[in-house]
């Protein structure tokens, strides 16, 4: 999943890409952020459809320069 987010940002022409992994309880969020606003085919292309299918939630950063995906682990208790 991180690879698909990275590739989407890489093809946008951004000079630098920052990848972030954050966790909170059973949730993990992967974020890829660049320095240019994403065009529609970068933010909703084939790779993002894969990310959307594998994640519980996904979207575009509020500044339009990055993508994120959130995974939620099932509570086995």
């Amino acid at each position: 999943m991180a690879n698909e987010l990275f590739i989407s940002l890489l093809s946008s022409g951004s000079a630098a890409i920052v990848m972030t992994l954050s966790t909170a309880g059973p949730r993990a969020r992967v974020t890829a952020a660049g320095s240019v606003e994403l065009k529609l085919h970068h933010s909703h292309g084939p790779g993002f459809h894969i990310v959307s299918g594998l994640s519980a939630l996904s979207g575009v950063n509020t500044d339009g320069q990055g993508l994120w995906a959130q995974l939620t682990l099932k509570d086995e208790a």
Side-chain angles (χ1 to χ4, degrees):
M1 182 172 320
N3 181 61
E4 294 298 332
L5 294 174
F6 180 80
I7 294 299
S8 292
L9 269 288
L10 186 62
S11 64
S12 74
S14 189
I17 299 169
V18 176
M19 297 293 296
T20 306
L21 172 66
S22 56
T23 60
R27 293 174 295 168
R29 180 177 276 199
V30 179
T31 305
S35 58
V36 297
E37 190 167 343
L38 300 174
K39 292 185 170 51
L40 187 60
H41 67 277
H42 295 128
S43 61
H44 291 85
F48 194 68
H49 290 294
I50 293 170
V51 170
S52 296
L54 295 174
S55 60
L57 297 168
S58 59
V60 179
N61 292 3
T62 55
D63 64 4
Q65 297 179 353
L67 302 170
W68 59 270
Q70 181 172 306
L71 303 172
T72 303
L73 302 176
K74 291 182 180 179
D75 186 5
E76 301 289 331

